[in-house]
């Protein structure tokens, strides 16, 4: 198969074992080749801008920069590239937010390898890829006359902070996991409390559970 017909893929994930697993799956395909990789958000942006790759597989939970922030920068640098988000989070937590930010598709890491291959080929062809369940969710929103829930007005970092607080993490734990200062995370928490008109972390958690944002 000619190089022109080969889909060149870039993998951005902070877990080496995940990157190796993806490479093993893709190595068995005649029309797909892994042509680059990165273990953090900044490297993903820098290396992908120089790589001759049509598709990026991007983990939404990067240690130094939120995956959606990386997505937005990648699409700014290379508008014609297709970014397929990979996440351990359920589709209803991040998928719609990712698609609105420019992602070509969204897959959970629990998806079968064959679904990953279908998604890569589909986004490489210039199409969008979503699961059947997510397609139903999107269809239900079209023309729906409903009030936008408060969490949809949060920034990507504020939304990420909301989910982590609702999952039981402290401000210090969130700061450590996101490589941010405690002060910065505290500011995100304070801002989202104001935006959502809530008083404390307990109310945030109750809101997230009630709206099925966390398990």
């Amino acid at each position: 198969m000619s190089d022109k017909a080969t889909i060149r893929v870039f993998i951005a994930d902070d877990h080496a074992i995940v990157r190796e697993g993806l490479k093993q799956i893709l190595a068995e395909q005649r029309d797909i080749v892994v042509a680059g990789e990165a273990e953090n958000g900044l490297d993903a942006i820098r290396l992908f801008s120089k790589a001759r790759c049509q598709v990026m597989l991007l983990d939404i939970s990067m240690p130094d920069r939120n995956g959606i922030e990386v997505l937005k920068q990648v699409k700014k640098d290379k508008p014609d590239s297709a970014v397929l988000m990979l996440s351990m989070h359920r589709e209803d937590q991040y998928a719609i937010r990712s698609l609105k930010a420019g992602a070509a598709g969204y897959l959970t890491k629990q998806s079968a390898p064959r679904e990953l291959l279908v998604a890569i080929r589909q986004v490489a062809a210039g199409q969008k890829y979503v699961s059947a369940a997510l397609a139903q969710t999107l269809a239900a929103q079209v023309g729906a006359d409903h009030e936008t829930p408060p969490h949809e007005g949060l920034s990507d970092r504020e939304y990420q902070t909301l989910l982590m607080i609702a999952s039981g993490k402290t401000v210090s734990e969130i700061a450590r996991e996101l490589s941010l200062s405690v002060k910065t995370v505290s500011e995100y928490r304070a801002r989202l409390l104001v935006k959502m008109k809530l008083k404390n972390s307990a109310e945030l958690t109750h809101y997230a559970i009630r709206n099925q944002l966390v398990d």
Side-chain angles (χ1 to χ4, degrees):
M1 182 170 291
S2 67
D3 182 66
K4 184 177 180 180
T6 300
I7 301 170
R8 295 172 61 85
V9 174
F10 187 99
I11 300 173
D13 194 295
D14 60 317
H15 295 99
I17 193 168
V18 173
R19 295 198 305 274
E20 290 304 314
L22 290 171
K23 284 191 284 187
Q24 286 183 21
I25 293 170
L26 301 183
E28 299 175 1
Q29 308 306 307
R30 295 182 60 192
D31 62 332
I32 300 174
V33 62
V34 175
E37 62 181 284
E39 63 180 2
N40 60 60
L42 290 176
D43 281 349
I45 293 169
R46 177 177 60 84
L47 296 174
F48 187 71
S49 66
K50 302 174 183 177
R52 292 190 303 111
C53 295
Q54 304 102 305
V55 177
M56 173 186 274
L57 302 182
L58 175 60
D59 182 10
I60 207 164
S61 301
M62 302 292 274
D64 59 335
R65 190 172 283 198
N66 179 276
I68 294 182
E69 294 174 355
V70 175
L71 163 65
K72 290 177 178 177
Q73 187 60 52
V74 166
K75 293 299 291 182
K76 182 179 179 180
D77 295 342
K78 298 178 70 172
D80 294 334
S81 61
V83 181
L84 181 60
M85 305 300 288
L86 294 179
S87 176
M88 61 181 178
H89 300 287
R90 300 193 320 260
E91 287 179 328
D92 53 351
Q93 292 179 327
Y94 274 109
I96 294 175
R97 186 173 285 260
S98 297
L99 293 170
K100 287 181 177 179
Y106 186 99
L107 273 181
T108 65
K109 290 184 176 179
Q110 289 75 35
S111 301
R114 64 179 177 276
E115 188 174 4
L116 171 65
L117 297 174
V118 169
I120 290 173
R121 293 181 177 116
Q122 197 157 310
V123 301
Q127 302 171 6
K128 297 286 187 181
Y129 181 85
V130 294
S131 70
L134 180 56
Q136 289 185 344
T137 300
L138 293 172
Q141 292 187 359
V142 175
D145 184 18
H146 65 277
E147 185 177 347
T148 301
H151 65 269
E152 289 191 9
L154 300 176
S155 71
D156 295 328
R157 276 298 193 191
E158 290 165 355
Y159 183 69
Q160 185 178 31
T161 301
L162 163 63
L163 293 185
M164 296 178 82
I165 289 174
S167 296
K169 295 182 184 296
T170 66
V171 168
S172 296
E173 289 171 336
I174 296 170
R176 185 164 57 252
E177 189 167 327
L178 299 181
S179 299
L180 297 172
S181 69
V182 171
K183 180 181 178 181
T184 297
V185 176
S186 295
E187 289 174 353
Y188 286 139
R189 176 183 175 277
R191 287 209 302 260
L192 69 91
L193 282 172
V194 171
K195 287 183 178 181
M196 299 180 68
K197 299 179 180 179
L198 299 174
K199 297 177 182 179
N200 50 48
S201 295
E203 289 191 358
L204 279 179
T205 301
H206 290 151
Y207 174 93
I209 293 172
R210 187 169 64 251
N211 287 272
Q212 299 181 330
L213 300 180
V214 294
D215 295 323

